[in-house]
Amino acid sequence: MKVLNGKVALAALLVASAAGAQESKTQQPAQQARKAAVEDAVKLPKATVLELKNGAKLLLVEKHEVPLVAFSAKVRGGALGDPEGKEGVAALTAELLQKGAGKRDAQQFAEAVDSVGGALSVSPGREALDVYGQFMARDTSLMVELLSDMLMRPRFDAAELDKTRERMVAEIAAEKDGDLRGVIGTYFQAFHFGAHPYGRPMGGSEASLPTLQREDVLAYAKANLGGDRLILSVVGDFDAKKLAKQLEAALGGWSRASTPAPVAPPTQPTKGRRVLLVDKPDATQTYFWAGNTGISRTDPARVDVSLANTVLGGRFTSLLNTALRVKSGLTYGAGSLVLANTQPGPFAISSYTKTESTGQALDMALEVLARYRQQGMDDTTLASAKEYVLGQFPPTLETGQQLAAKLSELAFYGLPASDVDDFASKVSGADKARIQAAIQRVMPAQEDLTLVLIGKASDIRDVARKYGAVTEMSITDPHFAPPAAKKP
């Protein structure tokens, strides 16, 4: 250890003191901003909560500033309810729920929504079907009628099924032939999670979709659509007591699903390295994901993980984007993501680059990850991340639609209102040591990585072999996983 003499030590102390005072002054505005953010933190409005006799859960929030009523519904099941070999039936069912119900065919149903300037849609999720809608307050009765018809009396018209199924297959083919960022996540999850339900393609595959028939949709609906699966949140310009009666009259008679809601089994991080190379012979770029199993939506360290991910790859000024795009020009974008479900989903870093710079870009991305795991973030970076996250959060809960979606999300995962109400204080109170522990736990070490590369195999095969044992498949394969990653 180097020892300083008295004069040098005194000079160093004076410099350090001056620097510390200056740093303290520069940090004051940020600290004041965080304090103000905590004081003005977003709070969830108090909801009227009801449970119908069939098990449906209703959350109602009056919000009279504008004459709109928005809702968000979750129907438990989603792609978890897809039978083996019938991947995509939940997604097909979700599409068909919008293609005619009750007394209205597909055209009439769409016209009923459009004629009043409303919006109504269904999207398939990993663990639930999500239904969203927004109507003028004067059209609340129509909204309730259309929603109940959609959920309880869908037509599942055979002609609409054929058209929708063909379109879904064509969309997958188009994604494989276009911007591969739309499909690489599906390849990654299929390869990483294998036979686990999280490995199934939510939207189906070119192998499974063509086999789906009306009988499959009817069977899925019987098993997975029912009042006991429903969480419905409504926010807007209405009287809660009156709307509760309307909804009970409309949805109270919906029978329960014929089977218990599917539950995802636990997931675990994998050990060792595995590489999947998806050959696209005409590719001029390589797309890649590298990661492992991350966290669940209810993980106690989810705020720390959010801050950690923001710094690594969750914003334009992130470490990954700065290294790969801003400084080196190897890509137009690089980042990282955390997909949290009831069980831990994937954590991954991702980017794309010219074929000839595949190795350079992937090496750089992995170096950034390794250095971040080792060093974490400094005080200035942590302060910046807190400001960013605190600034980004309020706009996600501005509208009635956003509030309804958050209420349904919290109810689905069994989370309290404090998940929102205490978010700002948890962000402001996060410290480096706790975040570093989250980084070490969630972001994988170099020796424990699943890597997926999509590109011209003849040019990048040797590069791929640098990162581990390579499994190869063609992008023309109708499946999203090689045979070894699928169940026998």
Side-chain angles (χ1 to χ4, degrees):
M1 182 174 68
K2 187 175 182 180
V3 179
L4 301 178
N5 64 39
K7 290 184 179 179
V8 174
L10 178 59
L13 179 61
L14 291 173
V15 171
S17 298
Q22 182 63 34
E23 183 179 0
S24 177
K25 288 180 180 179
T26 59
Q27 287 181 349
Q28 284 178 6
Q31 292 170 347
Q32 291 170 356
R34 285 197 295 276
K35 182 180 179 182
V38 171
E39 292 172 351
D40 298 332
V42 175
K43 303 290 184 183
L44 272 182
K46 185 71 174 177
T48 299
V49 182
L50 305 111
E51 185 167 324
L52 305 184
K53 291 181 180 180
N54 59 4
K57 186 172 186 177
L58 310 181
L59 299 96
L60 310 179
V61 174
E62 295 184 22
K63 192 172 185 288
H64 300 288
E65 290 85 352
V66 291
L68 291 173
V69 177
F71 72 84
S72 169
K74 281 185 174 291
V75 183
R76 293 183 185 274
L80 288 182
D82 286 352
E84 182 70 24
K86 300 290 184 181
E87 293 83 7
V89 69
L92 180 59
T93 302
E95 291 284 344
L96 292 174
L97 288 174
Q98 307 167 75
K99 303 295 184 182
K103 63 185 180 182
R104 300 176 177 90
D105 61 22
Q107 180 68 26
Q108 292 167 336
F109 195 90
E111 288 176 350
V113 176
D114 292 346
S115 65
V116 295
L120 184 57
S121 64
V122 186
S123 62
R126 178 69 67 191
E127 299 175 313
L129 299 185
D130 292 298
V131 189
Y132 301 100
Q134 181 169 278
F135 288 77
M136 294 291 291
R138 64 173 181 250
D139 301 311
T140 300
S141 295
L142 175 63
M143 179 192 78
V144 172
E145 177 187 340
L146 293 172
L147 175 62
S148 60
D149 277 348
M150 171 186 282
L151 295 176
M152 299 171 61
R153 292 171 287 277
R155 290 194 171 192
F156 297 137
D157 180 77
E160 293 293 339
L161 185 150
D162 290 341
K163 289 189 294 184
T164 302
R165 182 184 57 214
E166 291 174 11
R167 175 177 57 77
M168 291 171 68
V169 173
E171 286 173 349
I172 293 175
E175 285 184 323
K176 287 184 174 183
D177 196 42
D179 187 345
L180 296 171
R181 287 176 293 180
V183 293
I184 190 169
T186 305
Y187 279 105
F188 180 90
Q189 293 188 74
F191 186 58
H192 180 70
F193 289 112
H196 189 280
Y198 287 179
R200 299 175 187 169
M202 286 192 296
S205 69
E206 293 169 296
S208 64
L209 285 171
T211 70
L212 299 181
Q213 304 298 321
R214 187 170 186 269
E215 292 74 20
D216 299 310
V217 173
L218 292 173
Y220 177 90
K222 181 179 179 181
N224 293 283
L225 302 185
D228 57 317
R229 301 285 189 92
L230 177 66
I231 298 169
L232 173 62
S233 300
V234 191
V235 177
D237 187 17
F238 56 80
D239 178 86
K241 290 183 179 179
K242 179 180 178 182
L243 182 59
K245 291 180 180 179
Q246 286 181 278
L247 290 171
E248 184 171 13
L251 296 169
W254 192 14
S255 60
R256 294 172 178 263
S258 66
T259 63
V263 177
T267 58
Q268 297 293 335
T270 58
K271 293 294 185 181
R273 280 197 179 189
R274 297 187 306 151
V275 182
L276 175 65
L277 174 57
V278 183
D279 181 27
K280 190 174 189 299
D282 61 344
T284 59
Q285 298 186 117
T286 300
Y287 296 75
F288 63 82
W289 274 35
N292 208 312
T293 304
I295 65 169
S296 71
R297 176 62 180 86
T298 57
D299 192 291
R302 56 190 178 273
V303 170
D304 298 325
V305 173
S306 176
L307 287 165
N309 188 63
T310 295
V311 171
L312 177 63
R315 58 181 178 178
F316 184 83
T317 57
S318 68
L319 297 175
L320 285 167
N321 201 58
T322 297
L324 272 73
R325 173 177 172 161
V326 178
K327 291 185 176 180
S328 66
L330 291 171
T331 182
Y332 284 112
S336 58
L337 54 85
V338 180
L339 300 181
N341 303 306
T342 56
Q343 299 293 340
F347 163 83
I349 60 175
S350 65
S351 190
Y352 57 100
T353 189
K354 295 182 297 183
T355 300
E356 54 268 31
S357 57
T358 298
Q360 183 184 0
L362 190 47
D363 282 347
M364 186 175 294
L366 295 180
E367 287 168 7
V368 169
L369 174 61
R371 187 166 58 249
Y372 188 50
R373 286 191 85 250
Q374 181 180 17
Q375 299 176 359
M377 65 181 78
D378 59 25
D379 291 330
T380 301
T381 303
L382 175 55
S384 171
K386 288 181 177 182
E387 296 304 316
Y388 180 85
V389 171
L390 288 172
Q392 292 289 305
F393 186 63
T396 67
L397 292 170
E398 286 183 330
T399 68
Q401 183 72 79
Q402 291 170 323
L403 287 170
K406 180 58 69 173
L407 288 167
S408 291
E409 176 194 343
L410 296 183
F412 181 85
Y413 290 107
L415 289 168
S418 59
D419 188 73
V420 170
D421 295 349
D422 297 343
F423 182 78
S425 62
K426 287 181 178 179
V427 169
S428 296
D431 62 68
K432 286 194 302 181
R434 206 172 63 218
I435 293 173
Q436 181 63 15
I439 291 172
Q440 290 286 323
R441 177 171 67 90
V442 176
M443 299 182 179
Q446 295 292 289
E447 63 269 21
D448 297 322
L449 286 170
T450 297
L451 298 98
V452 174
L453 294 81
I454 306 179
K456 188 176 181 179
S458 60
D459 287 355
I460 63 173
R461 187 174 288 115
D462 289 341
V463 173
R465 288 171 178 158
K466 290 172 28 181
Y467 303 103
V470 175
T471 301
E472 192 169 325
M473 64 183 293
S474 173
I475 201 162
T476 59
D477 189 316
H479 298 279
F480 281 103
K486 301 194 290 284
K487 281 185 178 180

